[in-house]
Amino acid sequence: MTDTDSTVTDPASLNNLSDAPLRDLPADKPPEGHMPSTLLRMLNNAGARAVLNAPPVDLGIAEHLPYPFLALVGQHEMRIALLLAAINPAVGGVLLIGPRGTGKTTAVRSLSVLLPDIEVSLCEEGCLPADFERDGAAGVCAECAAKIARGEPISKWAQVNLIELPLNARLEDVVGGINERIAVQQNKVRIERGILARADQNLLYVDEVNLLEDTIVDAILDAAAAGSYTVRRGPVAGTYRSRFVLIGSMNPEEGSLRPQLMDRFGLRVVVRGLMDRTERKEIYQRSRAHRLNPRGFIRQWGAATLDAREEIGAARELLKEVTVSDAAMELGLDLVRELDIDSHRAEYTMFEAARAYTAADGRDVVQVSDIRAVASMALRQRRSQFMVDFADHQQQEDNAIRERIDALLKVNAS
Ligand SMILES: [Zn+2]
């Protein structure tokens, strides 16, 4: 890990914005009694502020140059949840719940830079070399089969994209529909790939998911769960890959999400504004630095970002080997029973999140401490009584979950 702190210059010179040494900023607190993993340490230790001293250049392009993930302040749980979903898509996505202006969208937009490059098809049908290797020429379209015969590539490596679902998207935009231009011009009926197909291998962000029509949310969740989907329009049908990391966000003040839909998001994070003055000041200063000189700010975090990207790539590889120890399995199942949770997605998500967490820490066996680290994110708001008034009960519930774990650990230890 690169210690970007070595580039910190005298904080007192930061245009008098700061009257306290920034390096005293408290690190985020990991869950009690837990040893921080490599990724957690990275999130907590990353710090670079010299950019604040660089001459301000307002390029007006901050929007296109996402704020670095590692420069986010606080919101420990949100960042962990996003990383776990990025390492292990089987976690089933993340739902961020909280008011506007708490950094949800900034965090999601910053995530794609951290993900390893993906192999993308060069053709509209989405053919990949793996299809050819598996099924021969029948596995790809005629054009790609011809290309392969000529020894030309049918795919390239590209950076992961963040696909943001527009709020006014229609079902046809989302799943795809008949391409009317081709239908009229060439008298051919062809199905156009929808947003879900374009999101394959990428990140799909659905802001204000609670304001979308249920049919659309259903389609997204079905596609995310299955990893592919089929569109039928009369006699034509098309099947598309849709292996994306799904991230939804909602402001509960603007309406709720049906419990059935809520249940289908893997991890849930309640995002609140930070109450710590030092942290808020730091957020202001970093936002300002990013706005004034986005390229400089991003460069400042470049080394830490590269490190994290490598860690995530390694964690994804290691994930294949990660198994759940008997003790961790028993604890997880006991916990779900004690909390009276019906949905089987609860333990599935919890174990998959724990596997990702373990892989992020460079280990290959899930221990009880890994279950403890992810249990709240995986289990909260899966008990119906908490659906009603979750804001008030959130803290209570989190405490209850931790207490249960401690009690169970005591019982198991004695
Ligand atoms: Zn093709």
Side-chain angles (χ1 to χ4, degrees), residues 101-218:
T102 44
K104 301 192 293 293
T105 301
T106 304
V108 174
R109 288 194 179 144
S110 67
L111 189 62
S112 61
V113 182
L114 287 185
L115 299 183
D117 282 352
I118 52 170
E119 189 177 25
V120 293
S121 175
L122 293 172
C123 91
E124 259 304 297
E125 314 272 320
C127 310
L128 287 172
D131 301 326
F132 183 80
E133 280 155 30
R134 196 185 52 240
D135 300 327
V140 295
C141 72
E143 281 168 44
C144 286
K147 275 187 174 179
I148 290 170
R150 290 196 301 270
E152 290 171 21
I154 64 164
S155 66
K156 63 170 182 181
W157 290 89
Q159 196 185 313
V160 167
N161 279 320
L162 174 71
I163 315 280
E164 297 191 42
L165 191 85
L167 239 193
N168 58 1
R170 302 161 305 161
L171 186 61
E172 197 153 274
D173 304 324
V174 174
V175 299
I178 302 288
N179 183 326
E180 277 155 25
R181 189 178 50 81
I182 288 184
V184 170
Q185 286 176 355
Q186 304 175 13
N187 203 19
K188 261 198 322 203
V189 180
R190 204 173 113 182
I191 292 182
E192 189 100 309
R193 293 197 298 161
I195 293 171
L196 294 181
R198 276 190 278 129
D200 183 42
Q201 301 193 81
N202 291 295
L203 296 167
L204 180 64
Y205 180 43
V206 188
D207 195 9
E208 307 196 77
V209 63
N210 51 331
L211 303 185
L212 277 178
E213 271 176 51
D214 280 359
T215 48
I216 294 182
V217 182
D218 266 330

Side-chain angles (χ1 to χ4, degrees), residues 240-253:
Y240 305 97
R241 291 190 186 90
S242 55
R243 303 153 299 174
F244 48 78
V245 176
L246 177 64
I247 300 158
S249 77
M250 60 176 276
N251 178 356
E253 293 164 332

Side-chain angles (χ1 to χ4, degrees), residues 190-363:
R190 204 173 113 182
I191 292 182
E192 189 100 309
R193 293 197 298 161
I195 293 171
L196 294 181
R198 276 190 278 129
D200 183 42
Q201 301 193 81
N202 291 295
L203 296 167
L204 180 64
Y205 180 43
V206 188
D207 195 9
E208 307 196 77
V209 63
N210 51 331
L211 303 185
L212 277 178
E213 271 176 51
D214 280 359
T215 48
I216 294 182
V217 182
D218 266 330
I220 296 171
L221 290 165
D222 283 343
S228 70
Y229 68 100
T230 299
V231 197
R232 259 175 245 288
R233 291 286 179 274
V236 277
T239 297
Y240 305 97
R241 291 190 186 90
S242 55
R243 303 153 299 174
F244 48 78
V245 176
L246 177 64
I247 300 158
S249 77
M250 60 176 276
N251 178 356
E253 293 164 332
E254 291 171 356
S256 57
L257 192 61
R258 280 197 296 126
Q260 299 94 304
L261 296 180
M262 181 85 97
D263 178 54
R264 299 185 56 187
F265 277 93
L267 304 176
R268 313 91 198 294
V269 177
V270 176
V271 185
R272 303 287 311 274
L274 300 175
M275 294 305 146
D276 183 293
R277 285 172 67 90
T278 325
E279 287 184 337
R280 289 188 86 118
K281 189 158 75 179
E282 183 69 11
I283 289 174
Y284 165 68
Q285 286 167 340
R286 289 187 187 182
S287 304
R288 181 168 171 273
H290 178 245
R291 197 174 294 254
L292 290 178
N293 184 359
R295 289 212 164 80
F297 189 77
I298 290 166
R299 204 177 310 123
Q300 202 66 50
W301 290 85
T305 300
L306 266 183
D307 282 351
R309 199 177 135 101
E310 273 173 27
E311 293 270 350
I312 289 169
R316 277 188 167 190
E317 278 304 306
L318 180 58
L319 182 71
K320 297 168 194 159
E321 322 285 324
V322 177
T323 54
V324 182
S325 69
D326 289 346
M329 181 73 74
E330 289 304 312
L331 173 71
L333 294 173
D334 284 351
L335 187 59
V336 168
R337 195 193 56 220
E338 293 244 342
L339 293 168
D340 277 326
I341 295 173
D342 294 313
S343 172
H344 294 283
R345 282 204 190 84
E347 58 261 37
Y348 189 85
T349 301
M350 180 167 59
F351 291 139
E352 287 303 309
R355 287 180 63 238
Y357 193 90
T358 305
D361 198 25
R363 290 176 286 114

